[in-house]
Amino acid sequence: MKTEVIKIDINNISQEKINYAAEILKAGGLVAFPTETVYGLGANALQKEAVRKIFAAKGRPSDNPLIVHIADIASLDSLVVEKPPIWEPLAHKFWPGPLTMIFKKSSVIPDEITAGLDTVAIRMPVHPIAMALIKASGLPIAAPSANSSGYPSPTLASHVYEDLNGKIDLIIDGGKADVGLESTVLDITVDPPLILRPGGVTLEQLRTIKSDISLDPALANEPETDFTLTSQANLNTDEFLKHKRRDLQGKFIPKSPGLKYKHYAPKAQMVIVDGELDKIVSTINNLVQDIKNSKKRIGILATEQTKDYYKVDTKGNENIVVMSLGSRDCPEEIAANLFKRFREMDEQKVDVIFAEGISKNGIGLAIMNRMKKAAGFNIIKV
Ligand code: TXA
Ligand code: MG
């Protein structure tokens, strides 16, 4: 299949191009489009053959359900059978925007979308191109992130092209996705509502609507204290990389099926070093020293505050790549850069990435969630 790419200017949206893309969706085709979080891979949510194509193009396991995107509140009624009262203040405050809510599904939603669950995830994106496309199609649009399954979500049209060229009908290039991380998935079928996936809307923001909204215990119990360095003598990077890698499958079962897979991951083996900032830097420098004579190519995901502190040890070593995720004072910047940096590290063909942990406040919770999954929960606490 030939994948066509068209550019649409977010500040001057061509209705003609939107209609062209909408026709493809109506005919059962696949269209990748920008949203404020990440690029989505859209199909007619009411047509199971179209939905199946999404799974095929992404190589997505069929037990991982999709989010249905709508452009107006009125569309909700035919898709769900029950609206717990909390939906309304949440929608009022956060829709359109990066919040996905889980409802009991109606019979118009094919099982292909929900992977057999009796619930359906619904989101109203705020990106004007996404909005215009959904409106023009007149359909609810199923759209997972437009990456190959397991890879980092795309924040640029070029990322979608890398992963899905030849597998989908159309890519709308509408510039970069601003938030850079996916929507927050909130289960409102339970009381108090549970965050199944942290994302663009923060826990703190959600709690302004209902103070007892909390994290799915499966998230809170993630094995992040997996590996603690007790002394420098224990620091053997190769050993660590070989033996401490955790296989998630079977260790815990989160309610959001997508979260049980290794995810968002660069091709390189990734290790997070988390704790006090000066110790993070010295530990990463030690880890680099430890393996720099091996043939491994090493990536360091640093921050504006720390990136220069790796130069001393890495000077003259062509096998070390240092990149900044952004400033610790602006976690939104780190969120917006994270997946792009993962892909850039892959382009640099690094074998190992040492990534600095960051604070879990606000959007930091979602950033660390994605980093931990990308690292297969390899975390060194310092
Ligand atoms: O920001 C986003 O949410 C992006 C853009 C394109 O809208 N979409 C996205 O979709 O991230 P996807 O498929 O990559 O992630 C959907 C997540 C998965 O973790 C999935 O398991 C969960 O939502 N999910 C979907 N339906 C669910 C349901 N009925 N119950 C629990 N979790 C569900
Ligand atoms: Mg995804």
Side-chain angles (χ1 to χ4, degrees):
M1 172 190 295
K2 177 153 171 37
T3 300
E4 193 181 351
V5 182
I6 56 173
K7 268 194 201 298
I8 296 185
D9 181 354
I10 185 172
N11 297 311
N12 182 16
I13 295 176
S14 155
Q15 193 58 43
E16 201 185 323
K17 290 181 183 172
I18 290 287
N19 291 343
Y20 175 72
E23 286 307 318
I24 295 176
L25 289 172
K26 287 198 252 181
L30 298 185
V31 176
F33 60 95
T35 84
E36 70 279 16
T37 56
V38 299
Y39 272 72
L41 177 61
N44 178 354
L46 303 179
Q47 205 192 97
K48 58 182 180 217
E49 292 77 18
V51 173
R52 283 197 198 122
K53 288 186 196 167
I54 291 180
F55 287 88
K58 280 181 60 91
R60 182 178 176 108
S62 60
D63 65 347
N64 191 5
L66 304 177
I67 297 172
V68 176
H69 296 66
I70 57 175
D72 53 67
I73 295 285
S75 308
L76 194 58
D77 287 328
S78 71
L79 305 176
V80 307
V81 285
E82 216 176 280
K83 288 191 287 188
I86 188 70
W87 88 271
E88 198 161 13
L90 286 169
H92 187 73
K93 176 125 191 207
F94 299 111
W95 275 3
L99 176 67
T100 295
M101 286 190 260
I102 308 279
F103 295 85
K104 291 263 181 256
K105 83 174 189 94
S106 82
S107 57
V108 303
I109 304 277
D111 283 342
E112 279 77 1
I113 293 224
T114 60
L117 297 173
D118 63 352
T119 55
V120 61
I122 313 260
R123 158 161 134 82
M124 188 191 294
V126 72
H127 196 291
I129 295 177
M131 268 285 182
L133 179 65
I134 300 166
K135 273 190 195 140
S137 72
L139 294 165
I141 299 296
S145 49
N147 51 291
S148 285
S149 200
Y151 287 163
S153 297
T155 54
L156 292 170
S158 59
H159 298 162
V160 181
Y161 190 83
E162 273 164 32
D163 281 15
L164 299 178
N165 180 33
K167 298 179 175 170
I168 65 178
D169 298 285
L170 181 70
I171 299 172
I172 298 177
D173 181 350
K176 81 174 196 322
D178 285 333
V179 178
L181 299 179
E182 301 83 348
S183 63
T184 302
V185 177
L186 185 69
D187 186 355
I188 59 165
T189 67
V190 291
D191 188 24
L194 288 180
I195 294 182
L196 305 186
R197 177 179 74 178
V201 173
T202 65
L203 175 63
E204 293 86 340
Q205 287 172 318
L206 289 171
R207 282 187 174 161
T208 63
I209 303 295
K210 197 166 188 294
S211 60
D212 57 358
I213 290 180
S214 43
L215 283 181
D216 180 2
L219 288 175
N221 294 331
E222 282 172 349
E224 65 164 54
T225 52
D226 195 18
F227 186 77
T228 306
L229 284 183
T230 45
S231 76
Q232 223 46 254
N234 285 352
L235 195 69
N236 180 330
T237 315
D238 272 342
E239 271 305 286
F240 178 78
L241 293 176
K242 255 190 248 135
H243 299 299
K244 298 290 175 182
R245 190 167 178 74
R246 302 267 303 221
D247 177 8
L248 272 184
Q249 219 92 26
K251 293 287 192 306
F252 70 108
I253 302 173
K255 205 168 169 188
S256 191
L259 298 186
K260 71 173 184 267
Y261 301 103
K262 180 163 181 263
H263 227 113
Y264 316 113
K267 294 185 184 94
Q269 167 80 76
M270 183 161 141
V271 178
I272 299 169
V273 181
D274 195 17
E276 286 172 39
L277 200 50
D278 56 340
K279 287 193 189 153
I280 291 179
V281 174
S282 62
T283 303
I284 292 180
N285 275 326
N286 286 334
L287 288 161
V288 170
Q289 283 301 321
D290 196 32
I291 57 170
K292 81 171 182 202
N293 293 328
S294 72
K295 293 223 164 62
K296 286 199 173 71
R297 203 166 147 73
I298 304 166
I300 300 175
L301 280 175
T303 48
E304 283 305 298
Q305 283 75 8
T306 56
K307 64 177 201 278
D308 293 334
Y309 292 93
Y310 297 107
K311 275 192 187 142
V312 184
D313 303 79
T314 60
K315 207 178 349 190
N317 192 329
E318 282 157 21
N319 266 334
I320 299 173
V321 182
V322 182
M323 290 183 195
S324 169
L325 287 169
S327 170
R328 287 174 175 271
D329 298 332
C330 183
E332 288 75 18
E333 184 188 349
I334 296 180
N337 286 331
L338 185 71
F339 289 144
K340 192 165 69 163
R341 292 285 182 270
F342 286 173
R343 284 178 185 262
E344 287 166 358
M345 282 292 182
D346 279 344
E347 280 163 26
Q348 291 286 330
K349 302 211 174 349
V350 301
D351 302 296
V352 184
I353 299 171
F354 297 118
E356 295 178 5
I358 65 144
S359 151
K360 284 203 243 166
N361 294 330
I363 190 90
L365 183 69
I367 297 171
M368 284 302 282
N369 170 272
R370 305 305 190 273
M371 292 231 276
K372 285 191 291 181
K373 284 184 194 353
F377 292 88
N378 276 333
I379 300 176
I380 298 174
K381 296 268 196 179
V382 292

